[in-house]
Amino acid sequence: MNVLIVEDEMGLAKEMSSFLVKEGYACEIVHTGQAASEKMYIGSYDFILLDLGLPDYDGLDLLKEAREDGKDSAVIILTARDGLNDKLKGLNMGADDYLAKPFSLLELLSRMNAITRRKFGLQKNTLIFTGFVLDIQNHSLHYQNTLINLTKKEFDILYYLLLHKNRVVTRMQLTEHIWGDILEDDYDSNYIAVHIKNLRKKLMNYSNEEVIETVRGIGYKISII
Ligand code: CA
């Protein structure tokens, strides 16, 4: 999943980014409201971590923009202001959660996991499909009791397709949400095909069912009843 970090404290922004990258998120950082506004207009993000106190913008105005663009990003507002007012305003304006600085990165991660569970209607931190169990928290995949070794990208792709089960995920979406900023990358759809092929091979060792369908010319889909 991809994250837009909107934070003018560069140290904090970097700290959040390196932590989340290790957890499998693709992160982009912007330090101003103007840059955030442009990014939000062009791209689509699973998460926006939004500092309310920006040098050039009221964070709440950005939240309003994020909510009006209809892109369905989860927004967590971050603020040093301990005013209850801002928190309530933010939540009323559609923020999904709120963290007061200073906060622990582990707390940030658990809030993000909770939002994902809520958004996709998951009861637990696991996704179960055709005998496989994908554990979101431990980043693992098991078939019955056997651990299946996935690369980070294979895990991320499988997780993303499972969250969006029964829907076609385009190659473009996969690139954007798994690899991050597509505009800076040399976009090559063959790259994704290789990861999918390897992932399929690993799943096939355990189950004959074709878990990941190719939707020709568009993308991929996991169908689960
Ligand atoms: Ca700030």
Side-chain angles (χ1 to χ4, degrees), residues 57-119:
Y57 236 82
D58 184 336
L60 289 174
D61 287 338
L62 279 175
L63 174 60
K64 204 167 157 208
E65 283 181 29
R67 281 298 159 251
E68 280 168 357
D69 74 2
K71 276 178 189 159
D72 197 29
S73 309
V75 179
I76 300 180
I77 46 182
L78 315 171
T79 181
R81 304 182 220 172
D82 38 22
L84 180 65
N85 218 7
D86 277 331
K87 173 183 166 179
L88 293 179
K89 247 195 234 165
L91 294 174
N92 284 336
M93 283 169 68
D96 295 86
D97 209 339
Y98 171 95
L99 278 171
K101 293 179 196 170
F103 52 84
S104 91
L105 294 171
L106 285 174
E107 181 172 12
L108 170 65
L109 181 65
S110 74
R111 301 280 186 101
M112 289 169 77
N113 281 338
I115 289 172
T116 300
R117 286 198 306 269
R118 214 155 60 218
K119 186 167 164 187

Side-chain angles (χ1 to χ4, degrees), residues 6-9 12 31 51-55 78-80 101:
V6 186
E7 172 60 73
D8 62 321
E9 285 171 52
L12 176 60
H31 301 299
D51 175 31
L52 287 187
L54 293 166
L78 315 171
T79 181
K101 293 179 196 170

Side-chain angles (χ1 to χ4, degrees), residues 23-221:
E23 293 294 328
Y25 290 92
C27 294
E28 286 174 53
I29 299 175
V30 287
H31 301 299
T32 64
Q34 183 58 40
S37 176
E38 283 162 18
K39 285 276 184 190
M40 280 161 32
Y41 182 74
I42 298 166
S44 100
Y45 297 90
D46 295 297
F47 285 96
I48 299 173
L49 308 181
L50 178 60
D51 175 31
L52 287 187
L54 293 166
D56 60 332
Y57 236 82
D58 184 336
L60 289 174
D61 287 338
L62 279 175
L63 174 60
K64 204 167 157 208
E65 283 181 29
R67 281 298 159 251
E68 280 168 357
D69 74 2
K71 276 178 189 159
D72 197 29
S73 309
V75 179
I76 300 180
I77 46 182
L78 315 171
T79 181
R81 304 182 220 172
D82 38 22
L84 180 65
N85 218 7
D86 277 331
K87 173 183 166 179
L88 293 179
K89 247 195 234 165
L91 294 174
N92 284 336
M93 283 169 68
D96 295 86
D97 209 339
Y98 171 95
L99 278 171
K101 293 179 196 170
F103 52 84
S104 91
L105 294 171
L106 285 174
E107 181 172 12
L108 170 65
L109 181 65
S110 74
R111 301 280 186 101
M112 289 169 77
N113 281 338
I115 289 172
T116 300
R117 286 198 306 269
R118 214 155 60 218
K119 186 167 164 187
F120 293 96
L122 314 178
Q123 308 294 327
K124 295 185 233 157
N125 276 322
T126 50
L127 288 160
I128 298 168
F129 61 102
T130 56
F132 294 95
V133 179
L134 186 95
D135 190 315
I136 301 165
Q137 210 146 32
N138 300 324
H139 292 240
S140 64
L141 177 70
H142 281 85
Y143 186 78
Q144 286 154 8
N145 287 323
T146 312
L147 176 69
I148 303 164
N149 275 318
L150 297 185
T151 65
K152 254 187 166 178
K153 288 291 176 234
E154 287 163 3
F155 178 91
D156 294 340
I157 290 170
L158 185 59
Y159 181 26
Y160 198 79
L161 290 175
L162 282 169
L163 285 179
H164 299 85
K165 66 183 184 205
N166 300 325
R167 276 191 272 170
V168 181
V169 176
T170 66
R171 289 195 190 93
M172 194 75 166
Q173 279 172 310
L174 275 183
T175 311
E176 185 173 27
H177 290 268
I178 309 289
W179 276 269
D181 198 349
I182 50 169
L183 299 172
E184 283 171 19
D185 284 337
D186 201 4
Y187 171 67
D188 180 0
S189 67
N190 208 23
Y191 193 59
I192 296 171
V194 171
H195 285 278
I196 295 270
K197 194 177 136 203
N198 294 337
L199 182 55
R200 274 188 178 134
K201 228 189 266 171
K202 292 183 184 178
L203 298 176
M204 281 294 195
N205 287 335
Y206 301 89
S207 166
N208 286 328
E209 266 181 76
E210 195 196 33
V211 178
I212 303 168
E213 295 164 43
T214 300
V215 181
R216 206 161 280 286
I218 305 175
Y220 302 95
K221 180 173 144 186

